[in-house]
Amino acid sequence: MRRLTPALQSRSTTGTTHSSRLAQLATHLTHQHITAAAATTTHPPARHRAMSTSSSSPAGGDAPWRSIFLEHVQGMASPEFTLGTVRRVRSSSGDSTDTAAVPRARTCIFRGMFADLPADPRNPAPRNPAGVYAASDLITFTTDARSDKMRELFSLVADDYDGEESGVQGGGEGVGREEEDVISGSGGGAPVEATFWAAPAATQWRLRGRAWVLAPDVEDAHQGSEGARRTVEALKARMRRIGEGEWSFAREITAHFGNLSPLMRGSFRGPPPGRPVDDGDDGLRLGQELEDLHDEIARRNFRVVVIVPEQVDRADLSAPKRGRRWLYTFVGAGRREPRRPGGVVDGEWEKIEVWP
């Protein structure tokens, strides 16, 4: 297992900010690793990208916020962010149509930009060819299909406020077979917000958009589930194809799995998260180190989640007497005039400075 950075060792020792599972998450993506992720790209230089762009590709280059965002993440001790979701809960009155929306937040680890996973000699997984898609503005994280957040990412209604183990492989109380089938595949599209505090740059980043879950069925989207089809359509709408070559969603998922440490891969063979310990562990255990990239149990539980940002909020507080803040809103190709006074259209994004 890779060593924690000094900053992470200190926090892990105090035990004030991280659970043991979050400490595992941090061990395999250290400061040096995320530096490589931000500095290394898997696509050709810009001049070559421009030459190979086909007429069918969406207009516009890299998102105007992308490079500085990655620069700030690169400077963080660990690429952690807070994922905000909305949980829909059935009313205690028993009326199945009456639901309440309650907030949920948890700490996740940023896994880089989708379709732009950096080369890593420690990753044994096959990679998609470089130069097929341009640098994306889609951020990724990984999660367990059995975790409670899956209901929120799929906008499903829960029976209680605190139920966990609502995902696949033996869902929690009140999880019907139809809902379990939905969660077991690709889909989602629920609204989320990812908040990063880049302390060295004294800048807060809030990325708001839709979260799409990639499951093993995504490769057969053209003949598979409705969720897989919608997921592929949503992601490809924001992916700019710039070259020829065979590019596979399934290969990209495996590459993300291979990018984890053996201990983190093994966590997907652990007991169902959120289940009471006294209810058993399904014959699974914690602390396994997994080398097999195609382990049936681990891969059944492993998910890559892609956030498609619709608005990016950047608040620079590095100057105490003169904080600055910018909003970037995705407007799509073809728009030339800003929608708000003071706005500037840059590629597919509108940028406007607002008071912090």
Side-chain angles (χ1 to χ4, degrees), residues 230-251:
R230 291 175 57 239
T231 300
V232 169
E233 288 180 354
L235 298 185
K236 283 192 171 182
R238 292 283 291 273
M239 296 168 65
R240 293 184 293 121
R241 192 174 185 95
I242 58 173
E244 301 300 324
E246 186 270 331
W247 195 95
S248 162
F249 276 90
R251 189 182 297 124

Side-chain angles (χ1 to χ4, degrees), residues 217-298:
D217 67 340
V218 73
E219 196 64 21
D220 299 320
H222 62 287
Q223 59 185 12
S225 70
E226 175 69 12
R229 184 188 63 78
R230 291 175 57 239
T231 300
V232 169
E233 288 180 354
L235 298 185
K236 283 192 171 182
R238 292 283 291 273
M239 296 168 65
R240 293 184 293 121
R241 192 174 185 95
I242 58 173
E244 301 300 324
E246 186 270 331
W247 195 95
S248 162
F249 276 90
R251 189 182 297 124
E252 195 73 5
I253 295 173
T254 300
H256 273 274
F257 189 68
N259 215 39
L260 304 179
S261 69
L263 182 62
M264 190 60 208
R265 291 178 213 146
S267 71
F268 294 96
R269 286 185 58 93
R275 173 185 289 183
V277 172
D278 288 347
D279 286 351
D281 57 11
D282 286 351
L284 305 173
R285 59 184 175 84
L286 299 175
Q288 301 180 65
E289 294 195 11
L290 182 63
E291 299 291 345
D292 183 4
L293 297 183
H294 301 284
D295 180 86
E296 181 180 357
I297 295 176

Side-chain angles (χ1 to χ4, degrees), residues 49 57-62 132-135 238-242 348:
R49 295 205 306 271
S57 298
D62 293 354
V132 177
Y133 285 100
R238 292 283 291 273
M239 296 168 65
R240 293 184 293 121
R241 192 174 185 95
I242 58 173
E348 297 179 322

Side-chain angles (χ1 to χ4, degrees), residues 44-90:
R47 61 181 181 275
H48 298 306
R49 295 205 306 271
M51 293 173 61
S52 61
T53 301
S54 66
S55 59
S56 61
S57 298
D62 293 354
W65 51 268
R66 185 182 189 274
S67 62
I68 190 168
F69 168 73
L70 289 177
E71 179 184 330
H72 287 180
V73 172
Q74 166 186 337
M76 296 169 64
S78 177
E80 301 165 7
F81 68 93
T82 299
L83 176 70
T85 57
V86 177
R87 186 171 181 84
R88 298 172 59 206
V89 182
R90 288 189 180 90

Side-chain angles (χ1 to χ4, degrees), residues 27 38 54 67 112 123 141 164 213 288 334 351 355-356:
T27 59
S54 66
S67 62
N123 185 348
F141 66 94
E164 183 95 29
V213 179
Q288 301 180 65
K351 175 183 177 181
W355 291 113

